Amino acid sequence: MAMAALLALLVIFLSFFIRVAYEIVTCYWLTPRRIKRIMEKQGVRGPKPRFLVGNIADMEAFVSKSTSDDMDSISHDVVGRLLPHYLAWSQLYGKRFIYWNGIEPRMCLTETELIKELLSRYSTKAGKSWLQQQGSKHFIGRGLLMANGADWHHQRHILAPAFMGDKLKSYAGYMVECTEQMLQSLRNEVELGQSEFEIGEHMTRLTADIISRTEFDCSYEKGKQIFHLLTVLQHLCSQASRHLCLPGSR
């Protein structure tokens, strides 16, 4: 009797182990190889991925090299500095290529007509990926930015009244007032002799002021505090998303 029970437990354990092993091999090896072959048959190629990490190390190397020195001049053309891997791979593989963020394939499209077709006809299928959702779940949760399909349409329908024309027009006074205050603070700093500004910080502060006054008008300081905490959380999530996420590693 005891031997039969032991054998039954052994069979259950082996079945569970084989199933888990099959799922892992399928997820991390077979499926990526299958996707790669399918895309290559359609003429879509890209950099060779490494096992598990894909092209993450390549992207980090490109960005590290491009941002190692200061810009020679002020320019709005920052793609080559912030996304150098896109430029390098588009020159090698064309306007349409595929690269790998870990085990997850990502396709880069630069052809306008294809982008329009993707967003209009296949918008429900081209949503946020699992890795994107996992990387941002502690920052924005399962809200509109990370929702897919029917869930996205449901949340968008709920939020639509907040973005009606009349509603937005009512915020114009707050926007003008906050902008004038920011411009006045810049003028004051110029009069004190300052000639260079980190405009990103001022624009972030302006955005926080507008959101705080329109959405937290009864508690302005509390709104600013919430925005500051969200900014800190955004930086932490951004740092965490740069590393490979393995099941059970968090």
Side-chain angles (χ1 to χ4, degrees):
M1 186 68 179
M3 183 62 69
L6 184 61
L7 287 175
L9 289 175
L10 182 60
V11 170
I12 294 174
F13 174 77
L14 287 175
S15 301
F16 176 76
F17 177 79
I18 292 173
R19 180 174 180 178
V20 171
Y22 174 77
E23 293 290 341
I24 292 175
V25 172
T26 300
C27 178
Y28 290 98
W29 179 252
L30 297 179
T31 298
R33 286 175 61 85
R34 179 176 59 83
I35 294 174
K36 189 173 183 293
R37 286 198 302 267
I38 292 174
M39 299 307 294
E40 287 178 347
K41 288 181 180 179
Q42 300 180 54
V44 181
R45 292 176 171 79
K48 184 178 180 180
R50 295 186 177 93
F51 181 62
L52 290 181
V53 298
N55 300 116
I56 291 178
D58 300 325
M59 290 186 283
E60 290 182 348
F62 273 115
V63 174
S64 178
K65 182 179 179 181
S66 65
T67 57
S68 59
D69 298 322
D70 294 334
M71 296 178 67
D72 296 331
S73 60
I74 298 177
S75 172
H76 294 292
D77 186 11
V78 296
V79 178
R81 182 175 177 84
L82 301 181
L83 300 171
H85 46 286
Y86 280 101
L87 291 183
W89 291 335
S90 63
Q91 293 172 359
L92 286 174
Y93 306 107
K95 295 182 178 181
R96 199 184 315 166
F97 63 88
I98 186 172
Y99 68 98
W100 295 79
N101 186 53
I103 61 171
E104 183 179 84
R106 296 196 176 174
M107 187 170 179
C108 179
L109 295 177
T110 58
E111 296 147 300
T112 307
E113 294 303 319
L114 280 178
I115 295 173
K116 288 182 180 179
E117 182 179 357
L118 177 67
L119 296 178
S120 60
R121 296 180 58 185
Y122 304 100
S123 59
T124 57
K125 298 181 180 179
K128 310 304 182 298
S129 68
W130 179 84
L131 282 180
Q132 288 176 312
Q133 292 177 334
Q134 288 296 111
S136 60
K137 67 179 181 180
H138 297 300
F139 176 48
I140 52 180
R142 298 295 185 184
L144 183 65
L145 293 178
M146 284 294 118
N148 289 326
D151 188 25
W152 182 88
H153 285 287
H154 175 68
Q155 295 190 43
R156 184 66 182 85
H157 179 73
I158 294 175
L159 291 174
F163 296 94
M164 298 295 290
D166 294 337
K167 186 75 172 180
L168 295 177
K169 288 179 183 178
S170 66
Y171 297 154
Y174 293 111
M175 296 178 183
V176 172
E177 182 181 352
C178 293
T179 304
E180 288 179 345
Q181 291 178 358
M182 183 196 72
L183 293 174
Q184 185 58 48
S185 67
L186 291 174
R187 295 190 191 100
N188 295 337
E189 293 182 19
V190 169
E191 292 177 357
L192 294 175
Q194 186 171 347
S195 58
E196 293 185 1
F197 301 92
E198 180 56 55
I199 197 63
E201 296 179 0
H202 291 277
M203 295 303 297
T204 300
R205 194 178 306 123
L206 173 62
T207 304
D209 289 343
I210 292 174
I211 293 177
S212 297
R213 295 195 182 193
T214 55
E215 302 299 332
F216 303 96
D217 54 347
C218 60
S219 181
Y220 174 63
E221 290 301 324
K222 182 179 180 180
K224 291 186 67 174
Q225 182 183 8
I226 292 174
F227 198 94
H228 170 70
L229 294 175
L230 285 174
T231 303
V232 174
L233 183 59
Q234 180 184 13
H235 287 300
L236 294 175
C237 290
S238 176
Q239 293 175 0
S241 64
R242 296 177 183 176
H243 304 286
L244 179 65
C245 177
L246 295 174
S249 62
R250 296 183 182 179

